[in-house]
Amino acid sequence: QVQLVESGGGLVQPGGSLRLSCGASGSIASINSMGWYRQVPGKERELVADITREGGANYGDSVKDRFTISRDNAKNMVYLQMNTLKPEDTAVYYCHAHIWPSGTLYARDYWGQGTQVTVSS
C-alpha cells in the first residue's frame, strides 16, 4: 500500500517562513514527478511546484522567487521551503507524486491527506 504523508503546516505571520515535508512509503518501484498543490474553499486545486526525478522544477506564478521545491530520491521525500509568506498563501497544501508501485504495470497519481498553512497576523 503506497501512501504519502505530509508534515510541517501551521500558523505563521506574514513575511515568515515554513517548510513542508512529504514522504512516500510502501512497495515502490520508482517515483517520477513529485510536487505540491494547494486549495482554498470554493476554488480549484492549483499547482504550487513540482519537480522531476532529475531535479527539474516548475513553479506556479504566484510563488516564484519565494518558494523552493527539493527532493531526496534516496528517502522518497519532497520538500517545500516557503519564504516571504503572504495571507493569500493560506490554503490546504497537498503533496502529489506519480508513483510506479512494485509489481504493477503502470504508474499512477497519489495524494497526501493535506496540511493546513495559515498566514495571518
Side-chain angles (χ1 to χ4, degrees), residues 39-113:
Q39 189 170 24
V40 297
K43 291 191 175 182
E44 292 187 357
R45 193 171 295 188
E46 66 171 359
L47 173 71
V48 177
D50 61 18
I51 185 168
T52 67
R53 184 173 181 82
E54 295 75 24
N58 178 48
Y59 295 92
D61 289 340
S62 62
V63 306
K64 284 179 181 177
D65 301 323
R66 298 189 298 122
F67 292 8
T68 302
I69 190 169
S70 60
R71 66 187 280 178
D72 184 333
N73 292 332
K75 296 181 179 179
N76 291 339
M77 296 288 295
V78 63
Y79 308 96
L80 185 69
Q81 177 65 44
M82 304 185 292
N83 298 327
T84 319
L85 282 158
K86 304 176 180 180
E88 51 264 42
D89 294 317
T90 297
V92 177
Y93 284 69
Y94 295 92
C95 178
H96 166 266
H98 196 64
I99 296 174
W100 188 0
S102 299
T104 66
L105 295 177
Y106 305 103
R108 51 157 286 194
D109 292 321
Y110 287 85
W111 294 91
Q113 77 284 0

